[in-house]
Amino acid sequence: MAPVYGQNALPSSTTRSVNEWLTRMHEASNQRSYIGTLVVSAGSAMSASKIWHVCDGSQQMERVDTLTGAPRTTIRRNKEVITFVPEAKTAFVEKRDSLGMFPELLRTPSNLIPQFYSAREVGVQRVAGHLSDMVEILPKDELRFGYRIWSERQTGLVVKLQTLGEQGAVVEQVAFSELQLDAPVSMDKLHKLMKDTRGYEVYKPTLKKTTAEAEGWRLKEPVPGFAAMSCHTREASGGTGQTSMQWVFSDGLASVSLFVEPFDAQRHVQESSAALGATNSVNRRVGEHWLTVVGEVPAATLRRFAMALERTR
């Protein structure tokens, strides 16, 4: 489907900087109430979910029900998240700092984004019945993917997003197939659902906030544009006393996680890499530890992280 009008026909009043576009999209995802069906396509795989999203200014809540694959319901209230798995009658409780389409946007120095990305307005299209501005967020180096984004004209809400790889190829797409804006979603009902764990075995991992330095790790050279966002350790199940570490980096749009755990010759057989849509992963042995690096960035970027990590003690 062709845009309603091309880039040259755009009124000059719609021209925004990359930061202005991203901030508008981020704020819309945090402030609007809506109900919709979200479809994710990655390679030959496709999944769909039903989303109820509500906010009252001070807090936001969201319910996500899978419509494909194993049934599961995820409900979140600000940073608190619980995932119900009905078939196994289990529920997993965790805290997530990330909310919104570009979760780290306002937690990283946003003035750095224009050093690594530029914005190009493309035109206007309808998505799920809503007239939407099309904008491309293009990387200035090969360490990150680009994005083609459809932003609902009135609210700024992201209604469709394509992740772009080499030569602009679409490696993953997320889009609403139907969307009701300003929908009457009840925060009270979602809160009650979140608290009702009757009949479920509840798992709550023990996370401890820390720093990579405190755990004896560092990057011997930084990866341009990526800043450390958080670091946690997690106790292994079974009471072995062993812990794993997750160190998270972001450039404001893309994020990368470094998972470090004790090396296990039975499980950690071979260094490898894998890809599913925009998500890549690589792993390697680092002394007596096993490193897995995961992120929605090119595999070469993950390899830079993997080769830069070193033990300091």
Side-chain angles (χ1 to χ4, degrees):
M1 179 173 66
V4 175
Y5 51 75
Q7 185 184 8
N8 294 335
L10 278 170
S12 59
S13 60
T14 65
T15 302
R16 298 182 174 98
S17 70
V18 63
N19 278 344
E20 286 169 341
W21 275 113
L22 293 170
T23 300
R24 172 175 162 82
M25 295 168 189
H26 183 275
E27 289 176 350
S29 71
N30 287 341
Q31 295 171 3
R32 309 303 300 196
S33 295
Y34 56 84
I35 300 172
T37 302
L38 194 69
V39 179
V40 180
S41 306
S44 60
M46 192 189 82
S47 60
S49 302
K50 183 88 172 181
I51 298 177
W52 295 259
H53 183 95
V54 62
C55 43
D56 64 3
S58 62
Q59 64 176 345
Q60 55 177 314
M61 291 198 70
E62 187 172 82
R63 172 182 174 176
V64 181
D65 282 8
T66 59
L67 300 178
T68 51
R72 63 178 54 205
T73 295
T74 300
I75 303 174
R76 71 180 176 195
R77 176 176 173 268
N78 297 333
K79 295 181 181 182
E80 300 169 27
V81 181
I82 184 166
T83 301
F84 295 93
V85 185
E87 289 179 347
K89 285 296 180 186
T90 55
F92 299 88
V93 177
E94 57 187 321
K95 281 193 183 294
R96 290 184 200 162
D97 290 332
S98 300
L99 292 170
M101 188 64 77
F102 293 116
E104 311 297 357
L105 181 64
L106 301 184
R107 300 204 302 138
T108 50
S110 60
N111 61 330
L112 292 182
I113 289 177
Q115 292 184 27
F116 299 98
Y117 296 93
S118 62
R120 183 167 73 94
E121 296 164 30
V122 181
V124 178
Q125 277 188 352
R126 280 197 338 136
V127 177
H130 298 276
L131 205 58
S132 306
D133 292 311
M134 294 172 64
V135 59
E136 291 182 342
I137 308 295
L138 302 172
K140 295 183 179 181
D141 61 22
E142 296 180 350
L143 294 175
R144 51 209 100 229
F145 289 133
Y147 305 93
R148 185 177 296 124
I149 306 169
W150 287 253
S151 170
E152 200 274 325
R153 295 213 90 187
Q154 297 299 316
T155 65
L157 187 71
V158 174
V159 292
K160 181 176 175 179
L161 182 146
Q162 292 176 339
T163 304
L164 309 177
E166 290 183 15
Q167 295 164 336
V170 177
V171 294
E172 186 169 302
Q173 175 174 289
V174 181
F176 282 104
S177 60
E178 56 91 19
L179 175 66
Q180 180 186 353
L181 287 171
D182 299 319
V185 184
S186 168
M187 190 170 280
D188 286 342
K189 281 185 181 176
L190 289 184
H191 197 254
K192 285 175 183 172
L193 282 171
M194 189 175 196
K195 297 295 183 188
D196 187 4
T197 57
R198 287 173 299 177
Y200 281 81
E201 191 169 356
V202 179
Y203 293 91
K204 192 171 184 178
T206 306
L207 295 179
K208 181 181 147 198
K209 205 167 187 175
T210 182
T211 65
E213 292 79 10
E215 301 304 316
W217 296 97
R218 71 169 188 141
L219 291 186
K220 54 191 171 190
E221 59 181 40
V223 179
F226 287 90
M229 301 301 299
S230 64
C231 189
H232 293 87
T233 56
R234 179 192 301 251
E235 284 184 17
S237 56
T240 61
Q242 293 184 326
T243 61
S244 61
M245 180 186 82
Q246 180 182 7
W247 194 8
V248 180
F249 291 80
S250 176
D251 68 357
L253 275 69
S255 62
V256 173
S257 289
L258 280 64
F259 296 93
V260 182
E261 59 185 318
F263 176 74
D264 181 341
Q266 301 230 307
R267 289 192 303 121
H268 305 138
V269 179
Q270 187 175 343
E271 296 184 358
S272 63
S273 60
L276 176 60
T279 302
N280 283 290
S281 66
V282 301
N283 52 51
R284 67 182 287 253
R285 184 174 178 177
V286 183
E288 293 306 305
H289 293 82
W290 187 255
L291 167 67
T292 303
V293 190
V294 181
E296 293 191 346
V297 294
T301 308
L302 299 184
R303 284 193 284 272
R304 283 186 67 156
F305 275 101
M307 299 311 294
L309 185 71
E310 66 178 7
R311 195 78 172 133
T312 58
R313 64 166 190 258

